[in-house]
Amino acid sequence: MARARTIVFRAFSIFAGVTIALVLAELVLRVFLPTPSSYFAMTPNLQATFSAQLHAKGVQGPAVFKVNSMGFRSREWSTNRASEYRIVCLGGSTTESLLNDQDRIWTTLLEKRLGQLPDGRRPWVGNMGKAGLASSHHLVQLKHLDLYDPDLIVVLVGSSDFMSRLKQGDKNPNLGDQPQDERTLEEQAFAALPDEFLWDQPATWYRSTRLWRRVSVLFGRSVLSGSQQQDQHGLSLERWRAMRSGGERSNKLPSLEASLDSYERTLKQIVGLAQNLGAPIVLMTQPSIWRAGLTDQEKGQLWMGGVGDFRDVPGSLYYDPEALERGIDAYNQRLLKVCRETTAHCIDLAKAVPKSTDYFYDDEHFTDRGQEFVAGRVAEGVLPLLTDARSELR
């Protein structure tokens, strides 16, 4: 009996000691590492240089990646709000344009092409793109977009929704019907966000602690993690291409219907939130190089379109380019349908961008020439919206 009491006492002492240590650590982190009071898509003032031109053909290097103080891959906006027309661009990696230089990404080029507006305002184009973000992430971003007071919202979307569905293979045909935790989506969509109170989410209270945040960062809990991260020299592209080259092949896609229905519903919610903000919204289809008849050299540039952890597991199943073209076209057609049925404006980039290695350095990411082409098409699409009459919507 005495031995049992001793064991219980020691266990309680250890538990109490660990609890006190964790509480103290949490208090220290809250004092010395305060969290932001706002939402930032990217880490403010982050800067990096990429030299991936050997593996991303058509991209000049070195390429500067620079984030402003508000978490956009853009220049700082004006302190005089009345002098500026703010365009906020949402999207995944094809908006982020990680390997392209800051001056050669389509959002920067769009700003330059638009020039000064007839009413004297100067356009500011904010790039909130982040690799891996899907329509559900953009939906939670829209809920906080009033912080940036946008005049126009542009969304390039579809690829991440499609890729997420493909990763499931045939295991879960009802993927689109699964509920997603909004806080998790926020943590993936924003690099920095305000704390939650512990009681806001009782079932997952621990995720509101500063300790959880720090551990999450250390272990890479993000949309992309581990070996799936893009390195500064583009070597990851060659590794991923080799994985695809050695993988299995299929020309038959899994069922997409549930995911497409969910995608359509989410896009309509996004359009509704934009209406609540009083800002016009432009939805853009996702271009890709996928098509029948790709040469062996063109196929050698591909790495996307696999099942499961295809970038880490040798021998994974990958879908053929013809199948991938059919799949992304299905998502693009749903987006165009949403534009026909709502107030959203559409730019059909997928139809416009040539399926050539002149414009893509892999499956869907743009070369510098591709960035220029996209910027030109987006400028043509949004110019009619940048009028005094359109500003009355605000």
Side-chain angles (χ1 to χ4, degrees):
M1 193 62 145
R3 179 181 172 81
R5 283 198 297 268
T6 300
I7 292 174
V8 171
F9 177 76
R10 288 179 177 175
F12 177 78
S13 298
I14 292 172
F15 175 78
V18 170
T19 301
I20 292 171
L22 290 174
V23 170
L24 289 175
E26 178 71 13
L27 292 173
V28 169
L29 286 173
R30 286 182 178 271
V31 171
F32 292 101
L33 292 175
T35 54
S37 57
S38 188
Y39 290 80
F40 297 94
M42 305 181 209
T43 304
N45 303 312
L46 174 69
Q47 184 166 338
T49 301
F50 291 86
S51 298
Q53 58 270 23
L54 292 178
H55 307 291
K57 298 299 177 65
V59 174
Q60 298 182 51
V64 174
F65 183 98
K66 188 175 182 180
V67 182
N68 70 11
S69 62
M70 290 299 297
F72 291 90
R73 190 184 181 189
S74 313
R75 64 177 176 84
E76 297 290 344
W77 60 33
S78 174
T79 55
N80 181 7
R81 179 65 182 91
S83 69
E84 199 163 64
Y85 188 96
R86 289 183 183 170
I87 303 173
V88 173
C89 298
L90 309 180
S93 58
T94 54
T95 298
E96 179 185 47
S97 306
L98 187 70
L99 300 184
N100 303 84
D101 186 74
Q102 195 93 348
D103 289 335
R104 291 189 287 270
I105 59 177
W106 66 263
T107 51
T108 300
L109 296 171
L110 172 63
E111 184 177 281
K112 293 177 180 178
R113 282 176 178 265
L114 293 177
Q116 189 173 4
L117 303 184
D119 61 7
R121 287 183 293 175
R122 180 186 178 192
W124 175 87
V125 179
N127 184 331
M128 283 182 67
K130 185 178 177 184
L133 296 192
S135 58
S136 55
H137 298 100
H138 303 320
L139 182 62
V140 299
Q141 286 179 322
L142 259 291
K143 293 180 180 180
H144 305 289
L145 218 59
D146 59 321
L147 301 168
Y148 311 118
D149 191 24
D151 293 292
L152 178 67
I153 301 166
V154 176
V155 189
L156 175 54
V157 65
S159 174
S160 294
D161 290 84
F162 180 38
M163 292 297 103
S164 295
R165 177 62 194 97
L166 289 187
K167 287 184 70 175
Q168 299 295 319
D170 289 317
K171 294 179 181 179
N172 191 356
N174 295 315
L175 175 69
D177 294 330
Q178 292 184 340
Q180 293 178 290
D181 177 72
E182 185 161 322
R183 186 62 178 183
T184 299
L185 292 172
E186 286 184 343
E187 290 171 350
Q188 294 171 342
F190 296 99
L193 65 165
D195 278 330
E196 273 191 331
F197 291 111
L198 299 183
W199 52 82
D200 285 343
Q201 300 288 342
T204 55
W205 61 269
Y206 56 90
R207 288 166 55 183
S208 299
T209 64
R210 198 65 51 79
L211 279 170
W212 175 265
R213 293 275 189 87
R214 300 307 299 171
V215 171
S216 296
V217 170
L218 290 174
F219 284 89
R221 284 187 68 258
S222 58
V223 176
L224 301 176
S225 61
S227 66
Q228 297 182 3
Q229 287 280 15
Q230 180 68 263
D231 67 278
Q232 290 181 295
H233 299 288
L235 296 173
S236 53
L237 291 173
E238 291 306 301
R239 183 173 66 251
W240 300 338
R241 287 164 178 160
M243 295 289 278
R244 180 181 174 91
S245 177
E248 298 181 10
R249 292 288 183 277
S250 175
N251 195 41
K252 182 182 179 182
L253 292 171
S255 174
L256 302 178
E257 204 59 33
S259 179
L260 287 168
D261 290 343
S262 176
Y263 182 59
E264 181 179 335
R265 288 194 299 270
T266 303
L267 288 180
K268 288 181 176 178
Q269 289 178 283
I270 286 173
V271 174
L273 287 177
Q275 286 181 311
N276 293 339
L277 287 173
I281 186 167
V282 176
L283 301 179
M284 305 198 298
T285 56
Q286 175 62 60
S288 72
I289 199 173
W290 298 320
R291 58 178 171 80
L294 288 178
T295 67
D296 289 341
Q297 181 179 359
E298 290 169 331
K299 289 180 180 178
Q301 293 192 188
L302 308 181
W303 59 266
M304 300 174 67
V307 176
D309 295 327
F310 59 90
R311 281 177 283 187
D312 293 319
V313 180
S316 294
L317 177 68
Y318 290 82
Y319 295 99
D320 290 329
E322 298 89 341
L324 294 173
E325 182 183 30
R326 294 195 303 271
I328 193 61
D329 184 62
Y331 283 83
N332 287 337
Q333 291 305 315
R334 286 298 181 103
L335 183 145
L336 294 173
K337 178 176 181 285
V338 169
C339 290
R340 290 193 297 269
E341 296 177 354
T342 67
T343 60
H345 304 272
C346 262
I347 299 175
D348 194 356
L349 283 181
K351 184 178 180 180
V353 183
K355 293 177 176 289
S356 161
T357 53
D358 289 337
Y359 299 91
F360 300 96
Y361 65 79
D362 60 8
D363 302 69
E364 61 181 21
H365 297 96
F366 305 121
T367 61
D368 290 343
R369 182 176 177 183
Q371 298 279 350
E372 291 178 3
F373 187 93
V374 169
R377 287 307 173 107
V378 178
E380 291 174 7
V382 303
L383 270 173
L385 306 179
L386 311 188
T387 63
D388 291 336
R390 180 61 60 182
S391 67
E392 292 175 4
L393 288 173
R394 295 185 52 76

